[in-house]
Amino acid sequence: MDISIIGSGHVGLVSGACFADLGNRVVMVDNDSSKITRLKRGQVWFYEPGLKELVRRSLKERRLSFTHSIAMAVRQSQVIFICVGTPPLPNGEADLSSVEHVSREIARSMSTYRLVVEKSTVPVQTGEWIKRTLQSSVRKNIPFDVASNPEFLREGSGIQDFLHPDRIVLGVETQKAKELLLALYEPLNAPIIVTDVKSAELIKHASNSFLALKISFINAVARICELSGADVVQVAEGMGMDKRIGRSFLNAGVGYGGSCFPKDVAAFIRIAEKLGYDFQLLKAVSQVNTDQRHHLVKRIASSLWNLKGKTIGVLGLAFKPDTDDLREAPSIEVIRLLQEAGARVKVFDPEVMAQMDRSFPGVLGCRDVYEVARGADCLVLLTEWNEFKELDFKRVKRLMRQPLVVDGRNLYEPQRLRKLGFHYLGVGRSDS
Ligand code: UGA
């Protein structure tokens, strides 16, 4: 099938590369011409395992092409996916101006039937706005459909998630739109749910918000564990064995970050408000997430008496492992709070060091974990990279000024570190 994808960010590029790999001819569009130039050479500017290889293969086999011209893409494709950014406005609402702009451009370039599919994360009822925009800009009598096909791709495993999804959600209004999308996704042989457009839009926000809720719930339980002497890892195991609850997304820690959960929770609160519902439950989810970061810093401070003049070594900056993404990463707030309290901060992250100076003024970047440990009063783990799992802890202890480890992702076995002579603090794990 001939398709085009407007917006070559994480979602757009992963989707485009995967659709091309499945044998479709895909035109990728972006208004940033430097991105297009790099993509034409097979260069991907963010870290996503396997993506560069997939892009290069499809480029070579001429199934994938790149342009900055929406008109050219629309002329060549029957199905057009909108994957542009929907960043948050100061009030939490999603900024839909790019979706509007792109919809207008698509309409102006249409000469025969087109299916326009929203894949960007958008508030419920955006499909109606897209339809109205297309109607007002399209030349007379050219038929079109609007559909919603939300994405559920995680950064770091986007290709795997695209090719082996738990479900594909297709929000459609006509048989034709349904048939086109079913044909496109048929090779994946995955469970498909067909809904109306608004329900599909809501599935996305409700799913991300529910996952965020699971994380904040277990983080709130972690606080009770700390106060009562229970262990949140054991509590999560026990809860997760109930199939109705499930074990995933019950890992207590320093809280969720990234370009999706914080933004989508805020947007969902705002959508509800605009529709006339006060979504108090989600407001609490967001508050618990913010509190987790402050609480971690308070625990470090109280273990060191105070933070003034202390050296804190931070392991991991990215919002999660296997990505170089710093957007809404807990590390940003934690480091800011540490610095505000007078601490000196040293850091190491396997992927993020190039962005260090810009994102973390006044922080000392190190080559590896051991350089971070040298002279530190405390080591704080904020991202559970695989390479942090097996450290030479005897060496780490020799290098540190005080043997305090604060494990913001519960990566380590408390007993093991305590046996080695560390004062170990996890999230929701008893202190002794
Ligand atoms: C998330 C969703 O998982 C995807 O399904 C969705 O498509 C995507 O947002 C999106 O809307 O585009 P992503 O932001 O890449 O994907 O990351 P996740 O793996 O979901 O992790 C989000 C945050 O939650 C991370 O900071 C992670 O450390 C944290 N987390 C996750 C926890 O603190 N505890 C957990 O148990 C799980």
Side-chain angles (χ1 to χ4, degrees):
M1 201 177 287
D2 286 300
I3 65 174
S4 55
I5 310 246
I6 322 273
S8 302
H10 182 265
V11 172
L13 197 54
V14 170
S15 307
C18 289
F19 276 134
D21 204 51
L22 293 173
N24 300 288
R25 273 180 306 273
V26 181
V27 185
M28 299 280 327
V29 187
D30 206 282
N31 59 2
D32 182 339
S33 43
S34 67
K35 273 188 192 168
I36 293 298
T37 311
R38 292 174 75 178
L39 285 168
K40 280 181 176 170
R41 292 190 202 122
Q43 293 167 356
V44 178
W45 63 93
F46 56 87
Y47 177 65
E48 179 65 38
L51 183 59
K52 196 170 60 189
E53 293 74 15
L54 214 60
V55 167
R56 288 183 181 172
R57 191 162 69 218
S58 294
L59 258 177
K60 205 168 139 208
E61 291 169 11
R62 295 179 183 279
R63 287 192 304 264
L64 192 60
S65 59
F66 298 96
T67 174
H68 62 269
S69 163
I70 292 182
M72 192 206 277
V74 172
R75 270 201 300 276
Q76 289 178 25
S77 335
Q78 193 174 24
V79 183
I80 299 142
F81 286 88
I82 300 181
C83 295
V84 295
T86 52
L89 292 166
N91 65 0
E93 209 170 310
D95 180 352
L96 298 176
S97 53
S98 298
V99 176
E100 184 193 357
H101 169 75
V102 159
S103 305
R104 236 176 259 294
E105 287 282 303
I106 293 172
R108 287 190 188 122
S109 314
M110 278 170 23
S111 52
T112 54
Y113 173 85
R114 293 292 182 265
L115 170 60
V116 179
V117 190
E118 49 171 30
K119 214 180 208 342
S120 304
T121 300
V122 290
V124 61
Q125 299 176 333
T126 300
E128 287 185 355
W129 278 103
I130 295 179
K131 205 164 143 186
R132 257 181 259 171
T133 310
L134 292 171
Q135 255 151 7
S136 67
S137 306
V138 79
R139 267 174 285 149
K140 249 194 184 158
N141 296 331
I142 297 174
F144 64 85
D145 278 313
V146 173
S148 165
N149 169 220
E151 56 82 21
F152 303 100
L153 311 177
R154 285 165 300 174
E155 281 184 37
S157 52
I159 293 172
Q160 179 70 11
D161 289 346
F162 188 96
L163 297 175
H164 306 282
D166 285 350
R167 79 308 205 181
I168 292 164
V169 176
L170 305 179
V172 292
E173 283 184 324
T174 66
Q175 187 63 19
K176 184 163 187 173
K178 178 176 160 183
E179 280 166 13
L180 276 169
L181 288 172
L182 284 177
L184 190 60
Y185 279 109
E186 197 203 74
L188 293 184
N189 206 11
I192 295 184
I193 173 167
V194 181
T195 68
D196 59 87
V197 174
K198 287 183 208 161
S199 302
E201 291 169 336
L202 262 184
I203 287 170
K204 170 68 188 190
H205 265 128
S207 299
N208 270 9
S209 298
F210 188 78
L211 292 171
L213 176 142
K214 272 188 103 175
I215 299 168
S216 279
F217 184 85
I218 201 66
N219 281 336
V221 172
R223 297 287 286 276
I224 315 253
C225 289
E226 284 163 21
L227 294 166
S228 62
D231 185 315
V232 76
V233 177
Q234 293 177 37
V235 174
E237 290 298 331
M239 287 172 66
M241 284 169 84
D242 184 328
K243 287 196 192 72
R244 294 168 304 175
I245 298 173
R247 174 65 182 86
S248 62
F249 281 72
L250 284 183
N251 296 320
V254 65
Y256 58 79
S259 64
C260 304
F261 287 176
K263 168 178 88 96
D264 290 353
V265 166
F268 205 21
I269 291 170
R270 189 69 191 129
I271 294 162
E273 199 172 285
K274 277 177 95 174
L275 291 168
Y277 177 68
D278 181 8
F279 211 148
Q280 291 186 38
L281 182 62
L282 269 194
K283 288 180 181 168
V285 166
S286 175
Q287 191 56 52
V288 169
N289 198 51
T290 307
D291 290 349
Q292 245 356 53
R293 298 162 190 196
H294 288 257
H295 179 62
L296 189 97
V297 174
K298 271 193 206 142
R299 291 183 83 200
I300 301 171
S302 58
S303 304
L304 292 174
W305 195 3
N306 60 66
L307 286 168
K308 206 160 188 149
K310 302 282 164 46
T311 299
I312 311 296
V314 172
L315 302 185
L317 298 170
F319 83 95
K320 67 172 188 177
D322 294 323
T323 170
D324 58 0
D325 199 338
L326 275 177
R327 285 176 289 178
E328 300 286 335
S331 60
I332 296 174
E333 180 74 346
V334 167
I335 289 175
R336 192 186 61 77
L337 292 169
L338 288 169
Q339 286 178 318
E340 241 175 48
R344 178 174 169 262
V345 182
K346 304 168 78 178
V347 302
F348 173 70
D349 183 288
E351 284 296 329
V352 177
M353 298 317 280
Q355 307 171 48
M356 261 286 305
D357 292 346
R358 203 173 353 114
S359 309
F360 299 97
V363 168
L364 181 69
C366 298
R367 275 190 315 261
D368 60 21
V369 174
Y370 304 100
E371 201 180 319
V372 174
R374 192 183 301 279
D377 295 285
C378 167
L379 268 192
V380 193
L381 181 118
L382 296 181
T383 316
E384 66 278 33
W385 285 95
N386 255 335
E387 66 177 82
F388 293 158
K389 268 187 196 154
E390 290 302 326
L391 300 179
D392 179 350
F393 275 109
K394 286 189 178 143
R395 185 172 165 208
V396 168
K397 186 161 173 268
R398 276 198 308 275
L399 289 166
M400 291 179 73
R401 192 152 56 190
Q402 303 190 52
L404 170 64
V405 171
V406 175
D407 183 355
R409 295 290 181 184
N410 288 342
L411 184 69
Y412 301 117
E413 196 39 61
Q415 292 316 327
R416 186 176 154 223
L417 265 76
R418 284 179 188 140
K419 260 196 205 137
L420 288 165
F422 285 96
H423 177 198
Y424 171 89
L425 293 178
V427 176
R429 318 192 88 176
S430 90
D431 285 3
S432 54

